[in-house]
Amino acid sequence: MFKGDFISNLPKIYGTYTGGFLLFVILMAILEQMGVGADTIGILFVAFTVFIYAAIGFLSRTMEVGAYYVAGRQVPTVFNGMATAADWMSGASFVAMAGGIYFGGHGYLAFVVGWTGGYILVASLMAPYLRKFGCYTVPDFIGTRYGGKLSRFCAVVILVVASFTYVTAQINATGTIASRALQIPFEVGVWFGLLGILLCSMLGGMRAVTWTQVAQYIVLIIAYLVPVFWMSNKQGFGLIPQLVYGDAVARITELEQLHGLGTLEAVSGAAGGLRALTVPYAEAGQGVLASWKFVTLVLCMMAGTASLPHILMRYFTTPSVKAARQSVAWSLFFIFLLYCTAPALATFVKLQILDPNLATSLIGKSITEVNSLEWVQKWSNVGFLQVIDANGDGILQLNEFFMRGDIVVLATPEIAGLPYVISGLVAAGGMAAAMSTADGLLLAIANALSHDLYYKIIDPNAETKKRLLVARALLLIIGAAGAFVASLKLTSILGAVAWAFDFACSGLLFPIVLGIWWKRANRQGAIAGMIGGFVAGTWYLYMVRFAGMDPWIGIDHLRFGIIGMPVSLVCMVVVSLMTPEPDAEIQAMVDDTRVPVGKTVIETQTAK
Amino acid sequence: MNEADNRLMHWQSTKRLMIITLSLWAFFSFVVHWFADALNAFSFLGFPLGFYMAAQGSEVAFVIIIFWFARAQHKIDLQYGFAEEE
């Protein structure tokens, strides 16, 4: 069936895989019809998909350095695009984004804009040049371009802080989903999730993570799109939901007035994490401050995209510079498929809850009727939803209906009355999203520590076998540390995710960009830029979030990159200009980075 | 034309493309959304325009810009003889 080598068979292999997965979904649907319980189907979905990823991880095991760190640099454009999309779209994108839009309306869409447009920065400023450079990790680029152990070390520290804040949130999400689907306690679920994540990455490093991420992308995109398309067609909203929700947005604005949004008093007493609707959906904030807050959030998320090492390192795996560039474009395309669907989903769920003309509506109905609905009961029992009849009139008002944002994705199948098999599919998709991102992040951290800290700084004479052993041991330790922190439940998922972007752009954006685009940038400047930006950003985060300082002109803890980035730029430029320019060899290296043709810069270096 | 000049011209074309790309990027990332409230007075496919640009319009623009950029940069590389052999 599969003649020739693995790479040329990829379309066939993943085509078969996709077919197999769809067959599995159909099999589950048949089982459901035969009366198999919803819980069993949920368990089968999560267990089966995680088993497949682990199997791919096992089959991709390797003892070669090039395969372990950069998947042998032979991942084709489109497949790398899919892998990056899975790497990128986290549990937060999958589970929380639509809910965020549901509650936050236009203001929250800053995340959707910010988490897509950053790829233009990656494509035009970063990825092709880093691929030509031929580094294994992002600190590898910093350390080689600027020279010296201190510059490499600073980059490692920033990478670890940014990625670790992010990875705990992902392990947390895998734990939440695993605990719900497999009906085990959250603390156990976290470790189960970690086990799955490590099975995908430990034996084969980047190679294993690449091929599992492609598999995970396929599951997550099917799991996101199928329910939305199905719901849209079943409820008569239209054939292609992404194109037809304009009228629904307009209708929601009418309904908000009808239900008295903004005039109702806030009702207290809801459990933590549950919210009632308070923000107008389509209305943009008025005035300069609102616009400023929107674009600063967009900027931080975009700059963070272009600085997060687990994303940049995906483009080290392509066969050529041209492929790296195209691969960024495909990544954005595959991400776009989900991100343009999230607002449509949020809109339709909102319409279904608010519009009294629809059978699914809740607001305006009697409390007894609402409480008798099966999905309302089910999600109330797990603390995701709460109805409080504050004024005692027996009718549900907008300010009396509380829920968690995650419900928008997780309960769509039930709100729209789709079969349970779809809920199982959604759980598998959420698991895939969280696992793939966690994998990429853990690998980015472990690779930086093993390659840059251990091999390049501590023991440059270490043998290959020992290096790969250290890399795997670190993966295990960092994963365990992440799971431990996740089990403490310290921050909400979203707070931590946005912080990772701010940390990354505060410390790494300018040292990477200027390393390529400004020949005059030197070691002292880069070190000043990394330390200055990172310290300023972290200080600001601490002051605003924990020390009670009032944010300056609306720059809250989600946007602290706005403080870190300019400090980083100024420090880097000023210090570079005050110190001698880099030597001729470094300058030639930069010239070489700028043209696609020829050997990688690192190869040329080692050949000398 | 000697090798050094060729490299310089290649880099200048690359820089020019980068500036054009990032100008388009900045327009759809920041300028459009700065005026979201004003744009909401207009309607597009039934959407208030400001909302539409944030929910879908900018994202579509990003996808188009990024594929266009990848092609344009490859053309520049070919023109100056710096493209990789396939």
Side-chain angles (χ1 to χ4, degrees):
Chain A
M1 186 174 170
F2 300 123
K3 282 184 196 133
D5 64 348
F6 174 65
I7 297 294
S8 54
N9 273 315
L10 279 173
K12 265 191 204 165
I13 293 170
Y14 281 105
T16 312
Y17 164 83
T18 310
F21 179 66
L22 292 176
L23 270 180
F24 174 78
V25 175
I26 293 169
L27 180 71
M28 289 299 112
I30 295 171
L31 284 183
E32 185 183 351
Q33 295 305 312
M34 285 166 61
V36 173
D39 296 344
T40 318
I41 290 179
I43 293 172
L44 284 174
F45 255 106
V46 171
F48 175 74
T49 50
V50 172
F51 172 76
I52 295 285
Y53 308 146
I56 297 174
F58 177 74
L59 290 174
S60 311
R61 65 191 181 279
T62 182
M63 278 310 282
E64 283 169 51
V65 176
Y68 188 88
Y69 283 112
V70 288
R73 299 202 201 275
Q74 52 174 349
V75 184
T77 319
V78 177
F79 287 97
N80 194 48
M82 281 194 234
T84 313
D87 200 25
W88 175 251
M89 288 187 285
S90 55
S93 293
F94 192 94
V95 181
M97 179 177 260
I101 301 169
Y102 176 95
F103 281 113
H106 179 266
Y108 189 90
L109 290 173
F111 281 110
V112 183
V113 177
W115 285 339
T116 48
Y119 279 87
I120 294 185
L121 297 178
V122 176
S124 60
L125 297 175
M126 311 258 190
Y129 304 102
L130 294 177
R131 171 62 188 82
K132 175 63 199 291
F133 205 84
C135 40
Y136 280 163
T137 64
V138 168
D140 203 12
F141 168 74
I142 302 271
T144 315
R145 160 67 176 85
Y146 296 110
K149 291 181 174 175
L150 183 59
S151 62
R152 194 182 284 267
F153 181 73
C154 291
V156 171
V157 171
I158 298 166
L159 179 151
V160 170
V161 172
S163 305
F164 197 78
T165 13
Y166 204 164
V167 85
T168 51
Q170 298 313 310
I171 296 179
N172 190 337
T174 54
T176 311
I177 297 166
S179 66
R180 200 150 349 108
L182 306 178
Q183 321 220 328
I184 46 181
F186 172 78
E187 287 72 16
V188 183
V190 164
W191 294 98
F192 173 85
L194 177 68
L195 182 70
I197 292 163
L198 288 178
L199 283 172
C200 296
S201 51
M202 260 189 71
L203 296 173
M206 195 60 171
R207 178 157 91 175
V209 166
T210 302
W211 304 124
T212 44
Q213 280 176 339
V214 176
Q216 284 159 338
Y217 178 77
I218 293 168
V219 169
L220 83 85
I221 200 70
I222 292 175
Y224 206 85
L225 296 186
V226 165
V228 181
F229 273 85
W230 193 339
M231 174 200 53
S232 178
N233 284 285
K234 184 168 185 246
Q235 306 279 358
F237 296 132
L239 193 63
I240 300 177
Q242 293 87 342
L243 296 179
V244 297
Y245 67 101
D247 297 332
V249 172
R251 172 82 179 134
I252 285 172
T253 309
E254 284 172 33
L255 291 167
E256 283 170 346
Q257 284 174 2
L258 180 76
H259 292 307
L261 183 89
T263 59
L264 297 165
E265 264 180 57
V267 171
S268 58
L274 301 186
R275 299 164 70 185
L277 275 175
T278 51
V279 180
Y281 194 51
E283 202 175 289
Q286 283 164 355
V288 176
L289 186 65
S291 295
W292 164 254
K293 288 190 84 163
F294 193 98
V295 300
T296 46
L297 189 57
V298 167
L299 178 62
C300 285
M301 294 307 116
M302 287 182 173
T305 307
S307 320
L308 274 170
H310 76 289
I311 292 304
L312 293 177
M313 76 177 189
R314 284 243 42 102
Y315 302 109
F316 302 167
T317 66
T318 58
S320 67
V321 174
K322 179 190 168 201
R325 213 180 281 129
Q326 286 177 329
S327 184
V328 186
W330 282 108
S331 309
L332 180 58
F333 172 75
F334 288 124
I335 292 164
F336 168 80
L337 290 183
L338 191 147
Y339 280 23
C340 78
T341 309
L345 174 61
T347 305
F348 287 138
V349 169
K350 202 161 187 167
L351 191 66
Q352 289 184 79
I353 289 176
L354 297 187
D355 194 339
N357 297 338
L358 297 175
T360 49
S361 73
L362 299 181
I363 309 301
K365 289 219 170 123
S366 80
I367 301 261
T368 11
E369 197 182 338
V370 170
N371 277 334
S372 67
L373 288 170
E374 202 180 334
W375 75 268
V376 172
Q377 283 174 0
K378 184 188 150 188
W379 292 97
S380 302
N381 288 340
V382 287
F384 274 56
L385 193 150
Q386 204 175 349
V387 170
I388 300 173
D389 190 10
N391 57 4
D393 65 354
I395 302 288
L396 183 63
Q397 263 101 22
L398 201 55
N399 57 344
E400 297 172 338
F401 180 66
F402 295 87
M403 61 184 226
R404 265 176 67 163
D406 302 352
I407 280 206
V408 173
V409 167
L410 298 177
T412 294
E414 293 155 73
I415 297 174
L418 308 183
Y420 185 79
V421 66
I422 299 296
S423 299
L425 180 66
V426 169
M431 193 75 183
M435 278 179 73
S436 55
T437 306
D439 259 332
L441 288 162
L442 278 181
L443 197 65
I445 301 173
N447 285 1
L449 292 179
S450 67
H451 180 76
D452 295 291
L453 193 63
Y454 173 70
Y455 177 55
K456 290 285 184 175
I457 297 180
I458 295 172
D459 183 6
N461 300 319
E463 292 164 30
T464 307
K465 205 175 156 191
K466 201 170 163 201
R467 284 164 64 192
L468 292 183
L469 207 67
V470 170
R472 289 178 175 128
L474 282 166
L475 208 54
L476 199 67
I477 295 167
I478 297 155
F484 176 72
V485 174
S487 67
L488 299 176
K489 298 192 194 177
L490 294 175
T491 38
S492 75
I493 288 186
L494 189 71
V497 168
W499 291 358
F501 287 76
D502 289 300
F503 278 129
C505 69
S506 296
L508 288 176
L509 180 73
F510 287 109
I512 302 174
V513 172
L514 296 182
I516 299 158
W517 291 85
W518 192 40
K519 241 190 250 180
R520 183 68 180 75
N522 64 13
R523 179 187 312 163
Q524 293 84 346
I527 293 171
M530 284 188 276
I531 296 178
F534 185 70
V535 169
T538 310
W539 168 81
Y540 188 80
L541 170 66
Y542 174 79
M543 293 307 283
V544 168
R545 179 72 175 184
F546 304 103
M549 186 174 81
D550 278 332
W552 305 341
I553 47 171
I555 302 171
D556 60 10
H557 68 102
L558 294 176
R559 299 164 170 80
F560 69 83
I562 292 294
I563 304 295
M565 280 189 285
V567 173
S568 174
L569 178 63
V570 170
C571 287
M572 185 159 175
V573 171
V574 170
V575 174
S576 283
L577 290 176
M578 278 164 46
T579 45
E581 63 174 2
D583 58 33
E585 197 186 334
I586 300 277
Q587 301 216 15
M589 191 157 100
V590 178
D591 276 330
D592 206 14
T593 311
R594 294 175 176 182
V595 291
V597 75
K599 279 192 197 157
T600 65
V601 173
I602 298 242
E603 274 173 335
T604 318
Q605 280 251 310
T606 37
K608 269 178 194 163
Chain B
M1 195 165 53
N2 67 31
E3 164 70 16
D5 282 349
N6 194 38
R7 275 189 179 242
L8 196 67
M9 303 260 290
H10 170 262
W11 189 241
Q12 272 173 350
S13 302
T14 303
K15 276 199 283 196
R16 196 177 313 127
L17 176 64
M18 181 272 280
I19 290 166
I20 297 170
T21 308
L22 292 194
S23 307
L24 290 168
W25 164 79
F27 178 79
F28 285 105
S29 302
F30 310 120
V31 179
V32 167
H33 305 296
W34 190 274
F35 300 106
D37 190 38
L39 290 178
N40 268 345
F42 302 93
S43 170
F44 178 76
L45 296 175
F47 292 89
L49 185 57
F51 182 92
Y52 176 79
M53 287 313 290
Q56 209 173 74
S58 283
E59 290 80 354
V60 171
F62 292 147
V63 172
I64 295 170
I65 293 168
I66 205 168
F67 275 99
W68 167 81
F69 163 80
R71 275 179 67 108
Q73 180 66 52
H74 185 59
K75 264 191 206 156
I76 292 175
D77 294 342
L78 279 178
Q79 188 188 342
Y80 294 97
F82 285 127
E84 299 140 297
E85 289 165 25
E86 298 287 319

